[in-house]
Amino acid sequence: MADNEQTAGNPPCRDQCCTTDEMLLAMIAEQRSREAFCTLFDRYAGRIKGFLIRGGASHAEAEEAAQEVMVTLWHRAEQFDPNRAAATTWIFTIARNKRIDMLRRANRPEPDPNDPMFAPDPVVTAEDAWAGEQRDTLVRRALDSLNEDQLTVVRLAFFAGLTQSEIAARIDAPLGTVKSRLRLSFQRLRQQLGEDFQRELLDE
């Protein structure tokens, strides 16, 4: 990849909503697929940023680090082994390592190795993997039921981590319009996914 910034800048593409993370990583590793990378960026960049902020990073630090994590994913996709870990585990391991590097560069105290943030994720069993795939399918079907305007604000709110005011600025729409679209979207998603739909969307 000749230009890291261009690749990590979330180029426009079709969201391959029915393609698993593992398949997308394989497409990046084998085909250098920018479309696959873009889809993974949409799914994970905002979540990684939120993860780093919860770990103590500033918004600016988390934004920069999330970009670096995604660039690392592009370069190292061929190192992912689905037989050893789920894609989510592998990606967030890269994010944890990036956070540790940030702490060291800032000459901060060494992180506590017993901190749950740095603990490895439990091994994903075949049963857990199947359950996760079923959950992802339900969430994607629910998202597909939204119209284009509603889907845009939901993606920006949940996956990019933007506030309602930031969404309004991003799509050049009144704040009231954004609030209305989010409210209608939440009502529809709640009908299909239940009261815990936010947890499902954020995969927490």
Side-chain angles (χ1 to χ4, degrees):
M1 184 173 55
D3 188 344
N4 288 351
E5 288 75 19
Q6 180 178 356
T7 303
N10 197 12
C13 71
R14 299 189 308 275
D15 181 17
Q16 302 174 8
C17 62
C18 296
T19 307
T20 66
D21 297 337
E22 288 75 13
M23 293 170 63
L24 292 170
L25 284 170
M27 292 168 64
I28 295 171
E30 298 169 6
Q31 307 169 22
R32 310 309 292 168
S33 170
R34 287 177 177 267
E35 186 173 0
F37 176 83
C38 179
T39 301
L40 276 181
F41 193 104
D42 287 342
R43 291 181 186 178
Y44 282 97
R47 292 165 58 187
I48 292 171
K49 179 180 177 181
F51 167 78
L52 294 170
I53 290 173
R54 290 193 297 273
S58 68
H59 282 268
E61 289 173 332
E63 179 73 29
E64 180 180 358
Q67 297 275 341
E68 293 178 4
V69 169
M70 298 308 297
V71 170
T72 299
L73 184 153
W74 170 269
H75 287 296
R76 299 184 182 175
E78 67 277 2
Q79 297 179 12
F80 170 66
D81 183 354
N83 295 317
R84 298 183 60 184
T88 298
T89 301
W90 186 73
I91 292 170
F92 276 93
T93 296
I94 296 175
R96 288 189 186 99
N97 291 338
K98 178 58 64 178
R99 177 58 180 148
I100 293 172
D101 289 342
M102 291 168 62
L103 291 172
R104 289 172 175 166
R105 286 201 303 265
N107 293 320
R108 297 172 185 171
E110 287 291 324
D112 182 356
N114 296 318
D115 189 327
M117 175 182 174
F118 302 111
D121 288 334
V123 175
V124 179
T125 65
E127 182 179 355
D128 290 339
W130 180 85
E133 290 177 1
Q134 294 296 107
R135 180 207 61 205
D136 290 346
T137 297
L138 291 175
V139 172
R140 288 165 186 159
R141 286 176 180 172
L143 291 173
D144 286 343
S145 71
L146 303 177
N147 64 40
E148 184 176 352
D149 290 337
Q150 292 170 340
L151 183 58
T152 296
V153 295
V154 167
R155 280 179 171 169
L156 292 174
F158 283 95
F159 299 111
L162 300 186
T163 66
Q164 293 181 352
S165 297
E166 289 171 337
I167 294 172
R170 175 75 66 86
I171 66 175
D172 192 23
L175 180 58
T177 298
V178 171
K179 291 182 177 180
S180 176
R181 290 176 184 174
L182 283 172
R183 183 176 63 253
L184 293 174
S185 300
F186 293 168
Q187 290 173 352
R188 189 171 187 85
L189 293 172
R190 188 179 295 113
Q191 291 172 355
Q192 300 189 48
L193 298 174
E195 293 296 330
D196 60 348
F197 76 95
Q198 290 186 358
R199 177 178 59 80
E200 296 292 339
L201 284 175
L202 292 172
D203 193 26
E204 293 181 346

